[in-house]
Amino acid sequence: MARNFLSQLTGSFAMPAAENPTVAMVEAAYRHHGLDWRYINCKVSPDRLGDAVIGARAMGWAGFNCSLPHKVAVIEHLDGLGESASIIGAVNTVVRRDDQLIGENTDGKGFVEAIGEMTDPGGKTALVFGAGGAARAICVELALVGVAHIAIANRDEARGGELARLVANETPAQTSYLAWRSTLAVPADTDFVINATSVGLFPDVDARLDVEVDSLQPHMLVVDCIPNPPMTRLLRDARERSCAILDGLGMLVNQGAIAIRHWTGIEADRAIMRRAVEDVLLDGRKSSC
Ligand code: NDP
């Protein structure tokens, strides 16, 4: 019988790239499901992004992730966008469909799936810290699954206000912008408190989000997007205040599993993926995401 030595290719374009552990997580899923697929971690500079996309087209890649700094810049090299990627204005997953490259955004969807495993987000209120790429994806997807009100707190007021307007204009959710010039008290009627800033990311592991810890209440679900280390200072504070907590690995694993579904059509085993990423993070203690 003729053997087939031609693997299906996927991967990631980013810069820096060396410390991104996604390859370990995705290839663990490919191996577990017996797929002859590869995930190639590529360091691509902004001025070569167009060439990299042409290369992926020429080699018939099934798709690829885009990480910093390419999530917005890649759009001009693609043939179309999925619904939430076009509202968010950023792409983290590119999928080849009928020889067209379509941009999707799985960051927010992965986040919403992680929350959905704990509670029904419909009708709830959220306070999101941050207004960068992760916050944009999270706010749009929370709004699309029925979160009623989203308050956004961001250091840079223009950026925060712009995100609040975007979500109010493009989705059914109501939004507000909270000025965050000093320690912020979480309003008592908040259901979800979400850190979508980079505060707490390795190596700054003891950095504290400027929030009044005593305003965290036991009915709140406190979520941190930081995947490394998963147990951030915010989550430790929240646990001490008897809040439910959710770490950034849930979001990381889910967004990866949704990307794998886009590329291969299979529903990847998330426990296998989580174990793989935990292994590399615990092993290295120096990866970023
Ligand atoms: P961006 O650079 O687009 O945005 C960074 C955000 O953090 C901005 O809102 C910025 O505020 C804020 N910020 C940075 N430093 C501080 C500070 N000292 N105090 C208050 N706010 C601060 O990054 P992303 O949105 O792409 O990523 C944010 C985090 O989310 C990263 O740490 C990343 O690791 C994580 N992430 C996790 C994912 C997962 O799967 N778990 C997926 C994607 C991201 P300002 O606008 O005022 O500068």
Side-chain angles (χ1 to χ4, degrees):
M1 189 173 77
R3 293 193 52 195
N4 181 359
F5 295 100
L6 190 62
S7 304
Q8 288 278 352
L9 297 181
T10 57
S12 169
F13 298 163
M15 194 173 93
E19 294 185 336
N20 186 343
T22 304
V23 54
M25 179 176 86
V26 173
E27 290 212 326
Y30 290 165
R31 277 194 303 276
H32 177 75
H33 293 284
L35 295 174
D36 184 15
W37 286 56
R38 297 295 314 280
Y39 186 97
I40 316 292
N41 198 23
C42 303
K43 182 176 167 188
V44 176
S45 61
D47 60 319
R48 305 312 292 268
L49 178 62
D51 293 340
V53 176
I54 290 170
R57 283 185 197 273
M59 290 184 277
W61 281 36
F64 52 90
N65 287 131
C66 280
S67 197
L68 292 176
H70 302 319
K71 288 186 179 183
V72 175
V74 74
I75 292 174
E76 66 174 279
H77 304 292
L78 304 179
D79 303 306
L81 296 179
E83 184 200 1
S84 53
S86 78
I87 300 176
I88 295 162
V91 163
N92 79 328
T93 301
V94 175
V95 190
R96 195 186 74 219
R97 293 191 187 116
D98 299 331
D99 275 338
Q100 294 216 312
L101 293 182
I102 306 298
E104 302 281 355
N105 197 310
T106 70
D107 279 336
K109 290 189 170 70
F111 177 89
V112 161
E113 282 193 9
I115 280 206
E117 286 160 15
M118 299 186 73
T119 182
D120 176 1
K124 299 284 195 330
T125 61
L127 168 55
V128 177
F129 289 92
R136 287 171 79 93
I138 286 167
C139 288
V140 168
E141 297 293 352
L142 283 176
L144 292 178
V145 294
V147 166
H149 186 273
I150 303 173
I152 293 152
N154 195 50
R155 249 181 353 185
D156 180 315
E157 298 199 4
R159 219 169 164 200
E162 185 202 317
L163 177 55
R165 280 190 298 280
L166 170 91
V167 176
N169 290 340
E170 302 288 340
T171 76
Q174 294 191 325
T175 66
S176 55
Y177 170 72
L178 295 185
W180 187 25
R181 296 185 201 105
S182 56
T183 309
L184 190 80
V186 176
D189 61 356
T190 305
D191 297 304
F192 304 146
V193 180
I194 298 158
N195 176 30
T197 74
S198 43
V199 174
L201 187 64
F202 184 92
D204 240 344
V205 297
D206 280 321
R208 184 175 234 144
L209 199 69
D210 200 4
V211 58
E212 202 171 286
V213 174
D214 288 347
S215 67
L216 297 173
Q217 297 184 24
H219 71 270
M220 297 174 181
L221 169 61
V222 178
V223 193
D224 206 321
C225 297
I226 298 294
N228 182 28
M231 187 50 66
T232 59
R233 186 92 182 247
L234 174 68
L235 294 186
R236 279 181 272 145
D237 287 340
R239 198 173 48 183
E240 275 174 23
R241 301 275 307 158
S242 304
C243 303
I245 60 171
L246 188 57
D247 70 34
L249 284 186
M251 176 180 177
L252 183 70
V253 168
N254 285 343
Q255 60 83 25
I258 298 167
I260 291 174
R261 187 201 299 149
H262 277 305
W263 296 327
T264 70
I266 67 147
E267 207 51 66
D269 185 323
R270 291 165 200 226
I272 294 285
M273 294 173 68
R274 182 164 178 126
R275 207 170 310 137
V277 78
E278 276 175 348
D279 282 350
V280 289
L281 290 182
L282 287 175
D283 197 33
R285 266 285 157 256
K286 58 177 168 49
S287 307
S288 63
C289 297

